[in-house]
Amino acid sequence: DRFRVIGFSRRDLTSKEFQSRIADILKNHTDNKTKKLISLFLSLFSYTRGQFENKNDYYQLKNTLDSIDAGWGLCSNKLFYLAVPPELYPKILKNLVSSGLTKPGSPEEGWTRVIVEKPFGKDAKTARELDELLTKLFKEIQIYRVDHYLAKEMLQNMLVFRFANNLFEGSWSNDLIEKIDIRLHEAIGVEDRGAFYDGVGALRDVGQNHLLQMIALTLMAYPENFKADSIRKNRAAILKNLKIPSAAEIKNSTFRAQYSGYQKIKGVKTNSQTETYFKARAFLDHPRWENIPITLESGKRLGESKKEIVVTFVHPLPCLCPTGGPHYKNRVIFHLEPKEGITIQFWAKKPGSKLELEERTFDFLFRQKEKRVQYTEEYEKLLLDCVEGDQTLFVSSEEDKAMWRFIDPIYHSWEKDAVPLLSYKPDTQEILRQTDRLEEEREGREGRGLKKEIGIIGLGKMGLNISKRLLQAGWRVVGSDEKSKAVLELEKIGGIGANSVQKLVAGLSRPKIIWLMLPAGALIDDFITK
Ligand code: BG6
């Protein structure tokens, strides 16, 4: 009963014209039963024309709102939704405040809230400026930063899957997880969003927000409760621990590319260097997640839509996998698109007289595709949560700062051309294969062609743990120790035990790498001589 939507924009429109634009959108969702309701609904919409930079126009908007309040005899709640390019935010926010529009009725009634859409700034510096402005003008409880990925059903379900079940949480750490891959591959291109997209690029359009939030949801710790503060705090804790990549890491482990034909899109510069594809690697400075590589990859016109989080587990020890592979590894895949669901990949006996293994899957379909109303359902949820004052699905200032800390150095070194801009044929997966290949070549080069094979002399606490990590990473480890018990321990976890230094040396192929994990002192020289 007491609800109004007021459009405020530069365009010269009457309220009737504004209503008929909305009627056009609703047309496809109307039947005879809802027709009457729709026309009632439309009567709640009106339009006030104004220039964003003109303070007086905001007073006019205030008059409109005040007269509605006067009619209702109260101070209503007010929600300001900024559906404008981010560079207009500062001007609009300042005018909203100085015209008194965002002043709450009283501490008890008439709250005011503001919704802003990503990207929040263009880099860490402009994001900080925007954040400073927002926090100067509003309290954090009034600010709703939208990242529609947080409202995606499958991502919300991820927390339920992790925290309402006791199936995986015990193995959810670097003890058993080997790597995580997060993909947001799109079939669609930039189409009619050239002017916006060209100033942003894939890394900042989806990397700085959606993909990093997927990391936060995948790795965050069990929250104290399911309220906004706890969840946002735990998401932020993960994001704050993202290791800032060094110049060398950016050069060696990030890729950017543009699909051919992109520069012909309306609004795109003819010599644009904006990436429509990127791949980057993240690590966390966090005891639970240390050393786990997290790959982020996204791009437009990649031939198919594939949005997913793949969690790969280390293979079990002792390693019973056939020599030369495949290594038995389990994967849990959270699919967002094309299907919504979860797949668990595991190994089972191939029926038959031999003991042969094959990979099988448990497949869980979250819901049928037809049941999904993409974007509408995310925004419906976000708007309703904002009205209800629930900030769980909105990005906090802390999270936003942490995400920029990670993205900023990558973006700035790309700006300086530290990483070449590759080109790919649209609607193919050529670039995915190309970057995989480049990565493999690079790893091969960095490993200088050495086999993953090592001898370890000294299987104390450190020597044994080092062996364990190397075995988990697919190495062949030959180990020896004066204590035969330690040698047995190594064999138990899949290593090859040698009961003398001579046997250890003989058990390694050339060129041999031997690590002496022994107490300092004369002993070392003895062993080297041996
Ligand atoms: C938006 C980006 O935030 O997310 C778009 O601006 C991108 O470029 C979209 O296509 C992806 O969202 P979804 O819900 O289609 O996966």
Side-chain angles (χ1 to χ4, degrees), residues 360-376:
R360 305 288 288 268
T361 58
F362 284 124
D363 273 302
F364 157 66
L365 181 64
F366 185 61
R367 60 177 168 173
Q368 297 293 345
K369 205 171 169 187
E370 304 72 54
K371 296 251 162 76
R372 189 180 346 160
V373 201
Q374 203 171 5
Y375 305 122
T376 310

Side-chain angles (χ1 to χ4, degrees), residues 55 148 251 270 494:
K55 211 188 257 183
H148 79 284
K251 196 159 175 271
T270 47

